[in-house]
Amino acid sequence: MSGNKEKIICTHCGDECIETIIQEGENFFCCTGCQFVYGLLQQNDLGEYYEQIKLEGVKGKKFEVDEFSFLDNEKVSQEILSYKIGNKSSVRLFTPQIYCSACLYLLENLFKLDNGITESRVNFLEKEVTIVFDNTRTTLRRIVELLTALGYKPQLNLANLDKPKKKNYNKYLYLKLGVAGFAFGNMMLMALPEYLSGGKMEQDIQHFMWYLSLFFGLVSIYPATEYFKSAYYAIKVKQINIDIPISLGIIALIVRSFIDILYLEGSGYIDSLAGLMFFLLLGKVFQQKTYHSISFDRNFKSYFPLSVIKKNQGAQEYISVKDIKIGDVLLIRNNEIIPTDVKLLTEKAFIDYGFVTGESKPVEVLAGDRIFSGGKQLESAIEVEVVKEFHQSYLTELWNNQSFHKDKESYISKLANNSAKYFTAVVLTIALLSFGYWLTIDTKIAWNVFTAVLIVACPCALALTHPFTYGTAMRVFGKNSFFIKNDKIVEYMHHTKKIIFDKTGTLTQLNAAELNFSELIDDYTKKLIKSTVSNSTHPVSRLIFDGIQTEDLFEVGSYQEIPGKGISAMIDGKFIKVGNLKWVKSIIGTDNTNKEKGANVKAESKVYVSIDDNVIGFFILNSRFRNNLKSLFDFLKSKAEIVILSGDNESEKEELSKIVGNDVDMHFNQMPDDKYKYIINLQKQGHSVMMIGDGLNDAGALRQSDVGIAITESSANFTPGSDGILLAEELENLPKFFKLSAYAVRTVYYSLIISLLYNTIGLFFAVQGLLTPLIAAILMPVSSVTVVLFTVLRIKLYSIKIKLK
């Protein structure tokens, strides 16, 4: 082999084996790291990785034996982990080496390389991998060492774990723009002598200028790598992107220019090449600046309508989650989501981590233990101390967790993606046909036409239309107290054909000032009742809590809340039940209520109370329907079929019919499971269903529906299974939200047409040789920015027109 001058290429990473050559069968490796990774992948049936990535793999990294030993420290690992619940842990790691689909394939199959890993998900744009693992079978250190060995060494800067990661991409983009500007500026200066001499320069000077331009041609290749790399990676994974035709256009200019100059046939197109690169990169910078200035990034710009109860010297106050500070003492009631990591102050708690892990088995937590963000408190209210700053991005990620994903694809998104996929192939075909035609007429024009066609027809606008239009609408919704999970909900709303309303707490509002109890009760009994309902976030419970005037509360023992029925608690040795009559009397007892006194009260307006299985009376709730319901239903009936599903009886049916009309289908005495099954039945019939109800009793129905909107009064009860959260006082604005969603869908279609027209007109002039590559480079980013500005301004102006903020 010593006499063989042929390069030996590493089977794994694709590098040339220079200093070290390790042979294993027919395979060669440049280092033991590559040999190890290759063997690991083959042993675990991940050889497909090499088929996807072809020649170049990710080079395995060497590391010292104790390099990651600090991760064995419990305090250090706790700061890095997203959560550690029982034997289940999760970590999110920043791995900048992720660059193509082969990386995704390998990283999302990590469970085959370490049997302690149960799941791994890659966020390609953020270059992050989230790994869920069994901490009894593997460790954070082993996972980090595995990633490093595979060539994806995570960045672990403990001092900046909670800070947003800064990307260095812009630095290199600006550097390339500067180099392109340098080359373009000098080429313009070099053109002055020939221009001023009227093209009558001495031949030796002219040839010198041509050779000098070769230098600037070579300089212009560096800025062009921005497109060459993207095109190269796309070809390796058998994909076509817009950078492929742009790269072909640039290569055409380089090759033709070098041939002309070296054979002294002319000055070539180096000036066009330099100008092309300068304006392409300038357009890219302009695009990024434009997108950033109108960004609708939820992580920093928009908060959920979440508030929490903060305890301050015995007093309670509602504060926004974004105002939570380390050291704050919070009161977390039954079924409330814990917004950030906290330490338990109460003796014990039962936490449901289904929102975080997908498993709803309650976990017992003792005083002093840590409770992770996203856990839901079960049973009685607890007090906790904040130990970690609130992070909107983490809660957003949880809300969009796969556990709550609805398997439905946006039609317009699918159309745009398919169009963009075939667009590039069509453009390449047009460019080659045009080049062949002009080559028989004028070689110079042929090269210009080929390059101009490839550059001017950019499908970027197709990809940008959907996210910017719906994202802007989503932002408008948020400013008007309507918070949706993601931008796809905008389109789903427009296609809704069935709208289902809950009644109590959704169409009605309760008034604590008109709360009455059927019997005279002493202060001790009032205190028992108020202590019981203090743990619940249900609107009726909050009404009773606010209506009973007593300051002190008893400590609550065992506590249970059953949606659609009521709540029970053991307090001061007494068993208290608050809820509907059937449930309260489910344990046989006596009924000591004054039946005469409550005879004229509507049955659904009663909330019964029993102490030690004896019914002592009921609260009379004087509810009233919300304002502007008639106009709301008049609009909605013109859009979809309306159904009301209520857990109450039919006593208010006549009054409700007068408001919403007799043509609205109403069903009463519906338990939460009845609503859930009703929606499933509609979906089996092909209907797109929207459910609007409260987040507690209607949680199952909200999650099952195509669009689930949770109505909230105090914005304290977050419902992860819903697609949107609407503050109750904004319900009357629902027609405006529907109008804006329809307008957004139309805007997407209009912008797609504009993009198509632009590309058609551009191609029309380019194939005729009337468009130079330089002008095409200027027009390409202009089209994208134009579409973005069109969609954003159109949505914003319409929202102002319909009087949304």
Side-chain angles (χ1 to χ4, degrees):
M1 277 182 54
S2 58
N4 189 357
K5 300 296 183 180
E6 184 180 351
K7 290 183 180 179
I8 298 177
I9 303 299
C10 177
T11 304
H12 173 67
C13 72
D15 286 351
E16 181 182 0
C17 300
I18 300 176
E19 297 180 359
T20 304
I21 301 176
I22 302 173
Q23 185 173 3
E24 185 178 298
E26 298 180 354
N27 300 312
F28 295 93
F29 303 97
C30 64
C31 65
T32 55
C34 285
Q35 182 186 25
F36 166 74
V37 174
Y38 179 84
L40 190 64
L41 297 179
Q42 294 297 329
Q43 290 170 16
N44 291 278
D45 299 323
L46 292 175
E48 187 181 336
Y49 168 78
Y50 296 100
E51 295 178 13
Q52 291 197 35
I53 204 165
K54 298 301 178 186
L55 290 178
E56 185 180 342
V58 177
K59 191 176 180 64
K61 303 294 182 184
K62 299 177 182 178
F63 55 89
E64 300 296 329
V65 176
D66 295 327
E67 182 175 347
F68 300 109
S69 60
F70 67 94
L71 295 176
D72 291 331
N73 185 295
E74 184 68 23
K75 290 184 178 179
V76 173
S77 64
Q78 193 173 59
E79 290 302 314
I80 297 175
L81 292 172
S82 299
Y83 65 79
K84 183 179 180 181
I85 303 166
N87 64 349
K88 196 169 190 176
S89 297
S90 175
V91 64
R92 181 167 52 175
L93 299 169
F94 178 57
T95 51
Q97 301 86 356
I98 298 173
Y99 71 89
C100 70
S101 62
C103 299
L104 268 67
Y105 170 78
L106 181 57
L107 291 175
E108 292 190 346
N109 281 278
L110 289 176
F111 66 92
K112 294 184 178 180
L113 306 179
D114 186 332
N115 61 12
I117 296 174
T118 57
E119 179 186 0
S120 54
R121 301 186 306 274
V122 176
N123 183 331
F124 184 78
L125 294 178
E126 297 296 326
K127 299 191 181 301
E128 291 178 338
V129 56
T130 299
I131 300 171
V132 180
F133 62 96
D134 184 338
N135 50 53
T136 63
R137 300 168 68 183
T138 190
T139 64
L140 177 60
R141 175 181 175 179
R142 283 176 57 184
I143 290 171
V144 171
E145 288 177 344
L146 173 63
L147 289 172
T148 303
L150 292 173
Y152 301 96
K153 184 177 181 179
Q155 289 189 5
L156 298 172
N157 185 353
L158 299 182
N160 296 296
L161 282 175
D162 294 333
K163 297 179 181 178
K165 299 173 183 64
K166 295 181 179 179
K167 309 254 188 332
N168 294 322
Y169 176 77
N170 282 337
K171 179 177 72 174
Y172 296 108
L173 180 60
Y174 284 121
L175 178 61
K176 291 174 182 178
L177 176 62
V179 172
F182 166 76
F184 181 51
N186 279 279
M187 286 303 301
M188 292 300 98
L189 289 174
M190 289 171 57
L192 282 175
E194 186 171 2
Y195 173 76
L196 295 175
S197 67
K200 298 179 181 179
M201 293 175 60
E202 293 184 13
Q203 192 175 47
D204 290 342
I205 296 176
Q206 189 178 53
H207 289 172
F208 172 76
M209 299 293 281
W210 289 358
Y211 287 129
L212 189 59
S213 66
L214 274 179
F215 167 75
F216 293 109
L218 293 171
V219 168
S220 298
I221 292 176
Y222 171 67
T225 57
E226 182 77 13
Y227 298 93
F228 292 161
K229 285 182 179 179
S230 175
Y232 171 65
Y233 291 141
I235 292 172
K236 283 208 313 181
V237 294
K238 299 179 181 179
Q239 297 292 325
I240 296 179
N241 65 10
I242 186 57
D243 289 334
I244 292 177
I246 292 177
S247 297
L248 287 175
I250 294 170
I251 292 171
L253 285 177
I254 293 173
V255 172
R256 181 62 187 178
S257 298
F258 276 47
I259 290 174
D260 282 356
I261 294 172
L262 292 175
Y263 286 93
L264 300 179
E265 295 180 0
S267 59
Y269 308 93
I270 301 298
D271 53 348
S272 295
L273 172 66
L276 174 66
M277 293 316 309
F278 177 71
F279 284 109
L280 280 175
L281 293 174
L282 185 64
K284 182 167 285 193
V285 170
F286 179 53
Q287 281 179 315
Q288 289 190 359
K289 289 286 186 182
T290 304
Y291 304 158
H292 179 74
S293 66
I294 56 179
S295 173
F296 42 82
D297 187 354
R298 293 166 58 89
N299 291 347
F300 303 102
K301 300 285 185 176
S302 173
Y303 285 91
F304 291 136
L306 266 181
S307 62
V308 291
I309 299 176
K310 176 183 176 182
K311 298 201 73 173
N312 188 8
Q313 297 179 347
Q316 298 180 4
E317 62 173 325
Y318 280 96
I319 63 169
S320 171
V321 286
K322 69 178 185 293
D323 295 326
I324 293 175
K325 299 289 188 296
I326 293 177
D328 284 349
V329 176
L330 308 178
L331 180 70
I332 307 296
R333 298 165 299 181
N334 181 64
N335 278 309
E336 282 192 322
I337 297 291
I338 297 166
T340 187
D341 290 4
V342 297
K343 180 176 69 176
L344 181 64
L345 300 180
T346 309
E347 183 179 350
K348 68 177 180 179
F350 289 92
I351 306 299
D352 179 358
Y353 282 112
F355 186 19
V356 181
T357 65
E359 300 174 0
S360 295
K361 183 179 179 181
V363 176
E364 184 178 7
V365 180
L366 302 178
D369 288 349
R370 187 168 183 147
I371 304 176
F372 294 95
S373 173
K376 181 171 69 174
Q377 163 59 5
L378 304 177
E379 300 193 357
S380 57
I382 58 173
E383 289 186 8
V384 296
E385 180 184 340
V386 177
V387 297
K388 191 173 184 179
E389 294 283 356
F390 170 75
H391 286 289
Q392 174 66 20
S393 58
Y394 180 63
L395 208 54
T396 304
E397 180 183 320
L398 288 179
W399 199 16
N400 283 280
N401 191 293
Q402 189 68 23
S403 301
F404 303 104
H405 176 68
K406 296 178 179 178
D407 189 18
K408 185 176 180 181
E409 186 176 9
S410 165
Y411 172 75
I412 294 180
S413 178
K414 183 179 179 180
L415 175 65
N417 291 336
N418 288 337
S419 299
K421 182 168 64 176
Y422 296 110
F423 188 90
T424 303
V426 172
V427 170
L428 278 170
T429 303
I430 294 173
L432 290 171
L433 291 175
S434 302
F435 177 75
Y437 170 79
W438 281 103
L439 199 60
T440 60
I441 301 173
D442 190 313
T443 305
K444 184 175 182 179
I445 293 178
W447 285 104
N448 276 343
V449 167
F450 180 70
T451 308
V453 168
L454 292 173
I455 293 169
V456 75
C458 174
C460 300
L462 292 173
L464 295 171
T465 291
H466 173 269
F468 273 91
T469 304
Y470 293 162
T472 306
M474 176 180 174
R475 200 173 166 190
V476 173
F477 287 169
K479 287 182 178 179
N480 291 271
S481 301
F482 179 30
F483 300 82
I484 59 176
K485 180 185 292 187
N486 53 55
D487 57 6
K488 293 179 182 178
I489 306 302
V490 177
E491 184 177 335
Y492 297 163
M493 284 180 62
H494 174 63
H495 295 300
T496 297
K497 297 303 178 187
K498 285 265 190 179
I499 302 176
I500 298 175
F501 280 93
D502 173 45
K503 185 177 75 69
T504 304
T506 304
L507 301 180
T508 62
Q509 56 188 21
L510 304 172
N511 188 347
E514 299 178 10
L515 180 71
N516 295 295
F517 197 70
S518 61
E519 310 294 330
L520 291 175
I521 53 176
D522 55 27
D523 291 340
Y524 176 76
T525 303
K526 290 180 180 179
K527 191 174 175 180
L528 285 174
I529 298 172
K530 185 165 185 174
S531 299
T532 302
V533 298
S534 68
N535 297 276
S536 174
T537 58
H538 192 280
V540 173
S541 297
R542 303 316 304 157
L543 176 72
I544 295 173
F545 180 87
D546 294 336
I548 297 176
Q549 303 304 314
T550 179
E551 295 297 328
D552 298 329
L553 297 176
F554 287 115
E555 183 177 337
V556 178
S558 62
Y559 177 89
Q560 185 181 29
E561 184 164 354
I562 302 177
K565 295 182 178 180
I567 56 180
S568 64
M570 183 63 72
I571 303 175
D572 197 31
K574 298 185 181 298
F575 184 58
I576 318 298
K577 295 182 77 173
V578 181
N580 64 49
L581 180 60
K582 184 178 179 181
W583 183 74
V584 167
K585 293 180 66 177
S586 59
I587 299 176
I588 299 174
T590 60
D591 185 353
N592 297 324
T593 60
N594 187 330
K595 297 180 176 58
E596 295 295 326
K597 190 171 183 177
N600 63 345
V601 181
K602 296 173 184 176
E604 89 292 344
S605 301
K606 297 177 183 179
V607 177
Y608 287 81
V609 178
S610 72
I611 299 178
D612 291 335
D613 299 334
N614 293 315
V615 179
I616 65 167
F618 51 82
F619 285 99
I620 303 169
L621 306 180
N622 293 308
S623 62
R624 63 184 178 86
F625 291 104
R626 297 189 185 277
N627 297 327
N628 302 316
L629 280 187
K630 188 178 188 316
S631 59
L632 169 65
F633 275 78
D634 285 345
F635 171 82
L636 294 179
K637 283 189 286 187
S638 66
K639 172 178 176 51
E641 186 178 342
I642 312 298
V643 179
I644 295 176
L645 300 180
S646 175
D648 302 330
N649 61 38
E650 300 185 13
S651 60
E652 284 188 325
K653 182 176 182 179
E654 184 178 346
E655 184 180 354
L656 187 57
S657 297
K658 292 178 182 178
I659 299 174
V660 303
N662 293 318
D663 53 343
V664 173
D665 192 13
M666 300 185 195
H667 300 267
F668 296 89
N669 300 308
Q670 299 291 300
M671 297 298 288
D673 190 55
D674 296 327
K675 299 177 184 180
Y676 171 77
K677 291 177 179 177
Y678 187 88
I679 290 175
I680 291 179
N681 186 51
L682 288 177
Q683 291 172 329
K684 286 181 178 178
Q685 298 174 30
H687 296 292
S688 178
V689 182
M690 173 185 283
M691 173 70 194
I692 303 174
D694 72 77
L696 183 60
N697 287 340
D698 300 321
L702 290 170
R703 183 172 178 176
Q704 178 60 38
S705 60
D706 297 283
V707 179
I709 307 299
I711 302 295
T712 177
E713 293 278 0
S714 62
S715 69
N717 191 18
F718 175 56
T719 310
S722 66
D723 299 299
I725 302 170
L726 176 63
L727 295 192
E729 59 265 28
E730 299 296 333
L731 181 63
E732 62 182 357
N733 279 331
L734 196 58
K736 295 180 182 179
F737 298 141
F738 272 106
K739 288 179 181 178
L740 185 60
S741 68
Y743 196 78
V745 172
R746 290 198 299 272
T747 299
V748 170
Y749 283 118
Y750 293 156
S751 57
L752 289 176
I753 292 172
I754 291 173
S755 177
L756 183 62
L757 285 174
Y758 166 84
N759 286 303
T760 302
I761 294 171
L763 287 171
F764 175 77
F765 287 104
V767 296
Q768 296 184 77
L770 301 175
L771 199 64
T772 66
L774 192 62
I775 300 300
I778 297 172
L779 292 177
M780 188 187 76
V782 170
S783 69
S784 298
V785 172
T786 300
V787 167
V788 168
L789 291 177
F790 168 76
T791 57
V792 172
L793 291 176
R794 182 174 160 86
I795 296 298
K796 285 188 174 181
L797 290 174
Y798 185 73
S799 66
I800 294 172
K801 180 180 178 181
I802 60 176
K803 298 181 180 180
L804 288 174
K805 297 176 186 177

